[in-house]
Amino acid sequence: MPNYMSPFTTMINLSNGLIPIAAVVQKRYLHDLEGMFADSTAEDALMINNPLLYEVQEATQNPMEEGQLRYSTTTIYPGKVGDEYYFTKGHYHAIGSRAELYMGLAGEGYLLLMSPENEINVQRMTPGAMSYIPPYWAHRTINIGKDNFVFFACYPADAGYDYASIADKGFAQIVVERGGKPTLIENPKWEK
Ligand code: M6P
Ligand code: ZN
């Protein structure tokens, strides 16, 4: 007989992503993303204040086993390093064949994706946007607005995180402000 888990319900505030009884809250400061922004001078200058870039509230601590799901909300604060908008670290799934689903809850963001062949794709996310991350695509979210960008995520619990590939090379393109608008440009630090 399998060891059955008990069903449960987690309340999520759909206007701000708050999970009152979050299992874990992860806070990511600029220091945690050291070297990931294109403008190193701007990054170094801002490092003195080490601003909080984003928080992840985990709704569950479900076992990281095949067949299980985990879900969370992420809040990315508004801001830029130089002219590059605040973003999440970004990752491939350690088990590449695992997909993920995002839903916009508040604010405005971009979901930046990159295939294993370095093809770039961008999805604009606003409240109600259900954005599908197919298997094998690296994914990063970016706050392109003036308010908090908040989204919900649901993913297979065994997906895991491959952060190293993104930390080393980044994405082939980055999102910067040009003439007051978010604009996709080639990543000056990109190396294949
Ligand atoms: C979403 C999910 C999480 C992820 C978080 C932040 O909530 O994809 O699994 O941890 O975004 O992204 P990252 O882990 O790349 O910092
Ligand atoms: Zn993921």
Side-chain angles (χ1 to χ4, degrees):
M1 278 283 272
N3 190 8
Y4 289 114
M5 275 174 63
S6 299
F8 60 90
T9 298
T10 308
M11 293 308 293
I12 298 179
N13 183 326
L14 293 181
S15 57
N16 61 13
L18 208 75
I19 303 178
I21 53 151
V24 179
V25 179
Q26 293 178 342
K27 291 177 188 281
R28 301 276 194 218
Y29 295 85
L30 182 59
H31 182 77
D32 300 306
L33 280 76
E34 195 172 356
M36 298 184 93
F37 288 90
D39 185 341
S40 310
T41 311
E43 188 188 291
D44 288 350
L46 209 57
M47 199 62 85
I48 298 159
N49 298 326
N50 191 24
L52 178 62
L53 304 191
Y54 64 100
E55 298 188 40
V56 182
Q57 304 200 13
E58 308 266 3
T60 83
Q61 280 192 298
N62 287 346
M64 294 175 178
E65 293 167 358
E66 184 177 359
Q68 295 277 1
L69 296 173
R70 285 189 164 213
Y71 44 103
S72 58
T73 59
T74 301
T75 300
I76 309 178
Y77 296 101
K80 292 191 295 278
V81 178
D83 55 11
E84 191 174 12
Y85 299 92
Y86 284 0
F87 54 61
T88 58
K89 289 170 90 167
H91 57 271
Y92 290 94
H93 288 153
I95 302 181
S97 61
R98 300 299 188 254
E100 184 160 0
L101 183 66
Y102 282 179
M103 179 169 73
L105 298 180
E108 190 182 4
Y110 276 174
L111 166 61
L112 178 68
L113 302 113
M114 186 168 69
S115 77
E117 289 167 350
N118 304 326
E119 181 190 338
I120 289 287
N121 185 286
V122 177
Q123 301 294 317
R124 184 169 171 269
M125 292 183 66
T126 51
M130 300 288 282
S131 299
Y132 183 63
I133 300 162
Y136 302 108
W137 286 77
H139 39 290
R140 162 180 285 168
T141 40
I142 303 166
N143 186 346
I144 57 163
K146 291 187 168 54
D147 304 313
N148 292 351
F149 169 48
V150 187
F151 64 97
F152 171 86
C154 182
Y155 52 97
D158 65 350
Y161 297 90
D162 166 12
Y163 287 114
S165 305
I166 296 302
D168 291 351
K169 300 193 311 177
F171 283 75
Q173 297 187 7
I174 61 171
V175 181
V176 296
E177 188 181 69
R178 287 284 184 273
K181 286 195 183 136
T183 308
L184 211 56
I185 62 164
E186 298 301 313
N187 181 356
K189 284 180 160 180
W190 170 254
E191 293 164 34
K192 269 193 184 168

